[in-house]
Amino acid sequence: MEKVLEVKDLTVSFDTYGGKVQAVRGVSFDLYKGETLAIVGESGSGKSVTTKSLMGLIPSPPGRIEKGEINFEGKNLAKLSDSEMTKIRGKDISMIFQDPMTSLNPTMKIGNQIMEGLIKHQKMNRADAKKRAIELLELVGIPKASERINQYPHQFSGGMRQRVVIAISLACNPKILIADEPTTALDVTIQAQILDLMKDLQQKTEASIIFITHDLGVVANVADRVAVMYAGKIVEIGTVDDVFYNPKHPYTWGLLGSMPTLDSTEEELVAIPGSPPDLINPPKGDAFAPRNPYALKIDLEQEPPMFKVSDTHYAATWLLHENAPKVEPPESVKRRMKGFAKTGAAPAAGDKKGDES
Amino acid sequence: MAKKDKELSKDLFQPAEVSADKSEELGRPEISYWKDSWNRLKKNKAAIAGLITLIFISFMAIFGPMMNEYDFDQADYDAKNLPPRVPGIENIEWLDWLGMNGERTVEVLGASPEDALNRGKEAFELTDDQFTYEVVREYDPDRPDPDKRWAAVAITFNDYEIRGYEDDYFWFGTDALGRDLWTRVWNGTRISLYIGILAAAIDMLIGVAYGGISAYYGGRVDNYMQRFIEILVGIPNLVVVILMIIVLDPGLIAITIALTITGWVGMARIVRGQVLKLKGQEFVLASRTLGASDSRIIARHLIPNVTGIILIQTMFTIPSAIFFEAFLSFIGLGLQPPLASLGTLIDDAFKSLQVYPYMLVYPAIIISLLMIGFNVLADGLRDALDPKMRE
Amino acid sequence: MARYVTQRIIYMIITLFLIATATFFLMKLLPGTPFNLEDKLTAAQKAALYEEYGLNDPLPVQYANYIFGLVQGDMGISFQFDNRKVEDLIMSRIGPSAQLGFQSLVLGTLLGLILGLISALKRNTGYDYTSNVIAILGISIPSFVFAGLLQYTFGVKLGILPVSFWDSFKHTILPTIALAIFPLATVQRFLRTEMLEVLGSDYIELARAKGLKNSVVTYKHALRNALIPVITIMGPMVVGLMTGSLVIEKIFAIPGIGEQFVRSIQMNDYSMIMGTTMFFSVLFVVVILIVDLLYVVVDPRIRLTGGKE
């Protein structure tokens, strides 16, 4: 498969009044053409910061990319100036934001907000841009597009606004689309519609999507591959099947164990104890060790490297070392893994028809 | 991938003891809201500088008048308009620019420099050894400005020696009635602070009660109370204050009443907004569902959550009350003599600004420092207490 | 919209009516009479004066006459300024006050906007700190202190600008600066806060994500949204200018309404005080109304809801 984007050892930090926060600590991954890569993790794990670095949207100061490469079409985006990045943002890489209620300019007509990018990147005149904007609104499923184009954001509902945001992001046929929790702020029924819309649009445009979420149900529904992030690092990465049927990292087990499913009603949810580490002073060794019931002594001493599980599947845990004791995932997680296998990797079926619950 | 797998000893691969307690402990230490706010305030250098300035001025307002032997209303007509003179500083030459050595420099005009000098000597009754002088300009009838055509001489002499006050030290000088300005300035500061704090306290009491009741009971009560406020807001407070003072005869109480008669509206609106917001929040609803009484909800949930905003608003009210009092004094509606506030002192000083600028300097500096101190501290408090600003 | 405007105008009339009533009765409460040379008058002269000014009528009649006169723009006769009509006196003084107010408002607002913008865009730099120090000094240092400082420095010491009076444009410079410092500081602080909030908002990030140039994001998206709420501080600013004008006109001996007002206070010229008070109130209420209507026009979020919270 053709590689669209390559991220190598990306390290991002923020200066705060409490000290330097190491938000992203050496993240590496590849993105292939036409695929959807989901990045999951709890809040503060660095998933949003990672994607904002790809867009060159890290506020600086206080943030900065300390080291690492972001290779896209022969350019290292991490080294580009802001004005060079403006030629890529919105054209080759675009972004959908989390909260549609706040991500549109309240005093600007919807049409103008879509047309801006077209006029800048495609050098269209206003008439052509307007025509294209109406097409885009129709594409994302907004009825009476030619009338609504002259309306302001407050005249749209939340779901409709998110469709507008998607239309803005698709305006210039981007090669990469970053979706930062695009459905979190929406009602469950609307969530399903937006997810369907995105899958549909991806087939039409062949864009690669990076999908950020903390909702594993959504992951199984939309993603081809999954990267699990914890404390600024990718701890496990693989295809959806790899990660759901054969998870290797204890943190991934924890995430799967804390995920509610429809078919296993008697099941108790297993919470991960403790809270994420302080990224101003990250702990020595494996950052997850203090919360990890399977922690080894070496976890407190050294950071684990990425161990290869299969050609597509890697995980950063000492449990994969040849000297490590054989540890099985907890029973509840195993039962879930079996459950996924039975229902065909669709724990998100419930999500899609969320109105049932 | 794991190629750099050197000789890792097998012991390291034994399960580690990680207790649940420890995992909780590793997170950031918990700090209370007030402690956290105080930590943020401490980091704000301007706010701390403001706080120290205010503490210093308050200290001086209390103890300053006792630091010398003069009373604030003790007039000595012979000692009128004496410049500042401070023991110690008066003999240090490089501090002369401070003008605290009892010396005065006067520009005298005449037909020639000699003529000007003689006029000066006569006017101030100076003998030859009592002054130094400098020629400012010669006579020149061609200058465009008629006032500038005369010759001018700057005569410098020690006012204390000439008037026989060698043993006296008026640190800030004396006013037109020969009263000690040091004592008057700190007395005035005391009165300005008193009015500012009293007005802010009354604003706070009325405003919090009004806003709190209006928002907590809501419905029709709120509706009527808000209509009343809307009408009050339409009246410029300048007009209200001036009318009240005219009717009430200027005095401490009258000024305070005039300042508070519409002053509480701002506080009432802020408290109402905050309480309305809190009332709808889940933790208050939860408490109500669990059967908590009104008084419990008010005491446990509402008051702690509006304290910050009340404090900030009060810190902004104090300087504006101090300013308004000074403003009233300045337009002739202030305290009556012999009482003095910073405002009346400044008003008096303006009458002779061109001749005795030092009279304006000290009250002007102190009122400015007071205002800056309160505003900077209030800004700092707002940044420290406002949860929106937290990272 | 029409309903909103009507409602606002009704409130405005109620407020003005209340102010007029309060002013009238407060003035009647005052002890003594408004004639400063009373002692020198004979009983007959006094009686004639009382008759002439209608002071012998019963209170309700006086009140009705006053309110009825006000509606027609008749504010009564000044007791001290040559027995001239109050409204004529105010009108004769309006020129210098209006010029001074306008110049200060324009100068203060423009500089305030520039400083506020610089502060927000160059946050936590030397520019920001300088601009903030100017603003905090501007809201803290009382106008009379600042005016005294200007007068002494530029008028007395340097002698480059006239210390007082109102003859040429040169005479307006110092008072304009003295009066402009308050709107300048207010606008700077307000715009800085608004701008920082807007710059941190999601829609600005989206605008950046579209690949728009920084200047476009800043001026087309951020500044526009930050400027709208600045309209709301016009009300307090006009009050600030009125308050300031009393002081500044007194200090610089400017023949404006403020200077006249201060003198009428010192001379107990009640009808003049009442008249000027009403004039200030009307001015204030009208400005507030214009500001509120302007806000509705400028902010599309309010337009359709017909009223704002």
Side-chain angles (χ1 to χ4, degrees):
Chain A
M1 255 199 284
E2 190 190 336
K3 207 190 271 183
V4 199
L5 181 81
E6 180 187 47
V7 177
K8 269 195 213 158
D9 197 26
L10 181 69
T11 306
V12 185
S13 66
F14 289 86
D15 294 317
T16 70
Y17 85 102
K20 193 173 88 170
V21 176
Q22 300 170 26
V24 174
R25 306 184 297 148
V27 160
S28 305
F29 65 88
D30 298 330
L31 184 70
Y32 299 100
K33 192 173 178 190
E35 76 161 346
T36 301
L37 170 71
I39 302 183
V40 288
E42 54 201 300
S43 1
S45 59
K47 43 193 202 307
S48 287
V49 176
T50 305
T51 48
K52 278 182 186 158
S53 325
L54 307 185
M55 297 281 289
L57 283 177
I58 297 291
S60 166
R64 61 175 186 277
I65 297 181
E66 286 198 348
K67 59 176 184 190
E69 292 172 25
I70 301 167
N71 294 319
F72 173 76
E73 294 188 337
K75 277 175 274 191
N76 178 3
L77 303 188
K79 290 278 183 289
L80 288 191
S81 72
D82 195 58
S83 64
E84 287 167 313
M85 273 311 287
T86 59
K87 292 178 191 131
I88 294 174
R89 279 203 291 263
K91 180 165 173 275
D92 296 321
I93 309 180
S94 66
M95 190 154 181
I96 303 170
F97 289 84
Q98 180 170 352
D99 188 354
M101 302 311 278
T102 56
S103 50
L104 291 169
N105 186 337
T107 59
M108 199 186 242
K109 287 175 183 166
I110 293 294
N112 286 336
Q113 299 197 44
I114 303 175
M115 284 150 63
E116 264 185 331
L118 293 168
I119 292 167
K120 161 132 207 284
H121 296 299
Q122 318 275 49
K123 313 275 178 263
M124 286 187 185
N125 60 34
R126 281 195 67 84
D128 290 346
K130 191 171 177 185
K131 235 181 272 167
R132 172 81 176 130
I134 295 172
E135 273 170 36
L136 282 163
L137 283 183
E138 279 163 355
L139 183 71
V140 297
I142 290 182
K144 293 188 200 155
S146 52
E147 287 167 34
R148 305 216 74 175
I149 202 162
N150 287 322
Q151 291 185 332
Y152 289 95
H154 70 272
Q155 291 162 289
F156 287 72
S157 69
M160 283 294 159
R161 285 193 210 188
Q162 195 62 310
R163 286 171 193 266
V164 173
V165 174
I166 292 174
I168 291 173
S169 68
L170 291 177
C172 304
N173 296 317
K175 301 192 174 71
I176 301 173
L177 185 60
I178 297 169
D180 188 352
E181 311 215 15
T183 58
T184 313
L186 300 171
D187 287 347
V188 198
T189 41
I190 312 288
Q191 272 187 22
Q193 292 172 14
I194 296 288
L195 289 178
D196 284 346
L197 173 68
M198 288 186 61
K199 278 198 281 189
D200 189 35
L201 292 173
Q202 187 183 23
Q203 275 168 7
K204 284 183 195 158
T205 61
E206 294 195 325
S208 312
I209 298 182
I210 298 179
F211 198 103
I212 304 176
T213 180
H214 57 254
D215 185 343
L216 285 178
V218 172
V219 173
N221 192 0
V222 300
D224 302 308
R225 287 196 305 139
V226 188
V228 180
M229 279 192 78
Y230 184 77
K233 284 175 173 264
I234 292 184
V235 294
E236 184 158 6
I237 184 166
T239 63
V240 169
D241 288 353
D242 291 336
V243 175
F244 277 87
Y245 301 142
N246 190 19
K248 288 297 179 196
H249 198 282
Y251 179 66
T252 315
W253 298 344
L255 280 185
L256 291 169
S258 59
M259 183 177 111
T261 54
L262 272 186
D263 49 331
S264 47
T265 40
E266 83 287 356
E267 197 91 53
E268 204 181 310
L269 292 183
V270 188
I272 306 175
S275 52
D278 178 3
L279 289 178
I280 293 175
N281 301 301
K284 200 181 162 202
D286 184 354
F288 186 58
R291 300 170 74 184
N292 182 1
Y294 308 99
L296 305 175
K297 278 181 183 153
I298 190 168
D299 279 324
L300 302 174
E301 301 287 329
Q302 280 190 35
E303 278 189 61
M306 272 286 185
F307 288 94
K308 183 174 178 178
V309 183
S310 71
D311 281 344
T312 54
H313 190 186
Y314 296 86
T317 168
W318 284 115
L319 291 175
L320 293 172
H321 192 270
E322 53 191 3
N323 290 343
K326 283 280 159 273
V327 178
E328 289 288 306
E331 275 310 304
S332 60
V333 176
K334 272 199 196 157
R335 250 178 282 139
R336 269 157 215 256
M337 284 153 54
K338 271 183 218 145
F340 301 150
K342 258 196 305 208
T343 52
D351 240 282
K352 209 170 154 188
K353 309 186 199 83
D355 42 346
E356 284 174 13
S357 51
Chain B
M1 272 253 176
K3 264 178 216 156
K4 54 176 180 177
D5 217 2
K6 286 166 259 159
E7 298 305 303
L8 289 170
S9 100
K10 287 207 170 182
D11 304 348
L12 284 172
F13 289 91
Q14 296 307 308
E17 301 291 322
V18 182
S19 70
D21 295 352
K22 199 181 160 209
S23 69
E24 298 289 349
E25 209 172 276
L26 278 167
R28 221 175 292 219
E30 248 178 72
I31 20 178
S32 76
Y33 171 66
W34 292 105
K35 184 116 191 279
D36 187 29
S37 304
W38 172 238
N39 284 341
R40 295 166 142 270
L41 189 66
K42 270 196 303 192
K43 290 228 162 67
N44 187 335
K45 287 189 201 103
I48 292 300
L51 184 63
I52 292 170
T53 310
L54 291 180
I55 292 173
F56 173 73
I57 292 180
S58 310
F59 176 85
M60 290 308 288
I62 298 169
F63 298 106
M66 303 172 200
M67 288 179 182
N68 62 19
E69 67 268 33
Y70 309 105
D71 284 333
F72 77 96
D73 56 351
Q74 173 193 340
D76 175 358
Y77 196 70
D78 292 334
K80 67 172 178 166
N81 299 334
L82 279 173
R85 185 187 187 202
V86 181
I89 293 180
E90 62 172 340
N91 297 324
I92 306 172
E93 236 170 77
W94 57 269
L95 283 177
D96 277 355
W97 60 272
L98 271 176
M100 296 186 121
N101 48 11
E103 280 182 358
R104 268 181 73 191
T105 302
V106 188
E107 213 174 276
V108 187
L109 303 181
S112 64
E114 294 74 35
D115 179 44
L117 192 60
N118 285 328
R119 281 161 185 267
K121 275 162 70 177
E122 205 173 305
F124 297 100
E125 297 172 15
L126 302 170
T127 57
D128 280 340
D129 57 339
Q130 283 175 321
F131 65 92
T132 56
Y133 75 94
E134 240 176 275
V135 177
V136 180
R137 60 174 180 263
E138 299 282 343
Y139 175 73
D140 181 354
D142 299 331
R143 290 198 185 96
D145 183 350
D147 292 344
K148 299 262 160 106
R149 285 175 198 159
W150 296 102
V153 175
I155 308 177
T156 303
F157 55 91
N158 190 314
D159 226 356
Y160 283 72
E161 282 167 20
I162 287 156
R163 293 209 244 155
Y165 281 90
E166 284 96 339
D167 299 333
D168 277 288
Y169 287 94
F170 297 103
W171 299 334
F172 283 178
T174 58
D175 68 2
L177 296 175
R179 293 174 295 198
D180 175 43
L181 276 175
W182 168 276
T183 316
R184 284 182 72 72
V185 163
W186 293 118
N187 242 305
T189 310
R190 190 190 288 178
I191 286 172
S192 289
L193 272 175
Y194 170 80
I195 290 176
I197 292 172
L198 187 64
I202 297 175
D203 277 359
M204 185 178 90
L205 284 179
I206 303 178
V208 170
Y210 195 98
I213 290 171
S214 180
Y216 191 77
Y217 292 104
R220 193 176 295 172
V221 177
D222 183 41
N223 205 2
Y224 286 130
M225 290 176 92
Q226 282 323 107
R227 290 295 90 80
F228 181 60
I229 279 201
E230 255 168 66
I231 290 169
L232 278 189
V233 168
I235 308 173
N237 67 334
L238 173 70
V239 164
V240 178
V241 172
I242 289 179
L243 287 180
M244 286 316 289
I245 300 269
I246 291 175
V247 175
L248 288 173
D249 283 336
L252 266 184
I253 302 297
I255 290 177
T256 314
I257 292 177
L259 289 180
T260 46
I261 206 153
T262 53
W264 55 270
V265 171
M267 177 70 88
R269 292 184 126 187
I270 286 174
V271 170
R272 174 177 176 268
Q274 191 73 5
V275 171
L276 275 184
K277 206 173 87 191
L278 287 169
K279 226 174 75 171
Q281 273 175 11
E282 281 79 358
F283 67 95
V284 176
L285 295 177
S287 177
R288 200 188 289 277
T289 323
L290 292 172
S293 63
D294 277 3
S295 59
R296 192 185 154 80
I297 291 178
I298 292 173
R300 295 302 299 271
H301 295 301
L302 300 186
I303 290 177
N305 281 297
V306 292
T307 312
I309 213 154
I310 293 172
L311 189 66
I312 296 166
Q313 174 70 9
T314 305
M315 287 307 277
F316 279 117
T317 317
I318 297 176
S320 77
I322 291 177
F323 165 77
F324 235 93
E325 183 277 324
F327 162 76
L328 287 172
S329 299
F330 195 79
I331 61 169
L333 288 174
L335 295 173
Q336 298 304 302
L339 274 188
S341 71
L342 291 173
T344 56
L345 289 171
I346 291 172
D347 185 34
D348 289 342
F350 252 99
K351 289 168 189 152
S352 51
L353 173 64
Q354 308 207 11
V355 195
Y356 307 111
Y358 67 86
M359 287 188 197
L360 180 62
V361 169
Y362 302 100
I365 289 179
I366 290 167
I367 198 171
S368 302
L369 284 180
L370 262 186
M371 302 281 295
I372 295 170
F374 275 112
N375 279 320
V376 168
L377 182 60
D379 275 352
L381 274 178
R382 187 185 50 200
D383 293 348
L385 292 175
D386 191 348
K388 254 201 329 196
M389 305 284 286
R390 289 157 175 247
E391 280 109 332
Chain C
M1 184 74 185
R3 200 174 138 245
Y4 175 65
V5 176
T6 328
Q7 189 196 337
R8 287 304 316 269
I9 290 177
I10 290 172
Y11 263 106
M12 190 176 106
I13 293 169
I14 296 177
T15 307
L16 287 177
F17 177 73
L18 284 179
I19 298 174
T21 308
T23 315
F24 178 82
F25 285 103
L26 284 176
M27 287 298 142
K28 288 294 154 194
L29 275 180
L30 286 174
T33 57
F35 307 109
N36 58 348
L37 297 171
E38 182 118 340
D39 300 342
K40 294 178 185 164
L41 298 174
T42 63
Q45 283 172 314
K46 249 195 224 178
L49 267 178
Y50 274 51
E51 191 56 44
E52 190 187 332
Y53 289 118
L55 294 175
N56 288 331
D57 295 335
L59 208 55
V61 175
Q62 289 187 34
Y63 173 65
N65 284 339
Y66 174 68
I67 295 289
F68 194 67
L70 263 189
V71 175
Q72 297 174 320
D74 173 10
M75 292 173 163
I77 289 166
S78 162
F79 298 124
Q80 302 291 355
F81 293 94
D82 310 326
N83 288 357
R84 288 170 63 193
K85 283 182 175 174
V86 170
E87 62 268 26
D88 290 350
L89 280 168
I90 291 178
M91 282 309 163
S92 71
R93 291 291 193 113
I94 210 164
S97 291
Q99 188 190 347
L100 179 62
F102 179 75
Q103 282 180 197
S104 322
L105 191 66
V106 171
L107 178 73
T109 310
L110 274 182
L111 287 180
L113 289 178
I114 293 171
L115 285 180
L117 191 63
I118 290 175
S119 245
L121 294 181
K122 308 249 174 210
R123 196 184 180 181
N124 294 339
T125 63
Y127 298 104
D128 185 21
Y129 297 137
T130 314
S131 160
N132 287 341
V133 167
I134 295 175
I136 199 90
L137 292 180
I139 60 155
S140 298
I141 296 182
S143 46
F144 40 87
V145 171
F146 189 63
L149 193 70
L150 287 178
Q151 227 178 18
Y152 191 73
T153 321
F154 293 97
V156 180
K157 277 280 158 195
L158 300 176
I160 47 175
L161 285 168
V163 175
S164 52
F165 303 121
W166 192 257
D167 291 335
S168 63
F169 177 73
K170 232 178 156 185
H171 287 84
T172 73
I173 295 177
L174 287 184
T176 301
I177 296 175
L179 199 53
I181 189 80
F182 179 74
L184 182 154
T186 317
V187 171
Q188 189 275 358
R189 284 162 68 85
F190 199 82
L191 183 69
R192 179 177 186 271
T193 316
E194 283 298 323
M195 193 71 186
L196 283 179
E197 200 175 315
V198 169
L199 283 176
S201 68
D202 289 350
Y203 61 84
I204 291 304
E205 195 161 38
L206 180 74
R208 275 193 222 291
K210 278 189 230 173
L212 301 178
K213 264 188 275 173
N214 260 332
S215 54
V216 177
V217 174
T218 305
Y219 297 105
K220 196 169 161 197
H221 286 264
L223 188 57
R224 201 187 129 90
N225 281 288
L227 276 180
I228 290 176
V230 172
I231 298 173
T232 55
I233 54 169
M234 289 299 288
M237 248 160 58
V238 166
V239 176
L241 285 178
M242 287 192 305
T243 315
S245 74
L246 301 194
V247 170
I248 300 295
E249 288 181 10
K250 181 187 167 191
I251 293 176
F252 289 96
I254 296 168
I257 296 172
E259 196 264 354
Q260 193 181 37
F261 189 40
V262 173
R263 277 209 286 156
S264 63
I265 290 171
Q266 282 157 355
M267 297 193 300
N268 287 342
D269 186 345
Y270 300 146
S271 55
M272 195 65 218
I273 296 174
M274 279 199 280
T276 315
T277 306
M278 278 319 293
F279 176 78
F280 278 160
S281 305
V282 172
L283 191 66
F284 175 73
V285 169
V286 170
V287 167
I288 297 281
L289 179 74
I290 293 174
V291 163
D292 283 359
L293 296 184
L294 204 62
Y295 203 87
V296 176
V297 173
V298 176
D299 194 331
R301 278 166 295 185
I302 306 174
R303 193 177 289 164
L304 282 183
T305 50
K308 77 185 163 99
E309 270 304 293

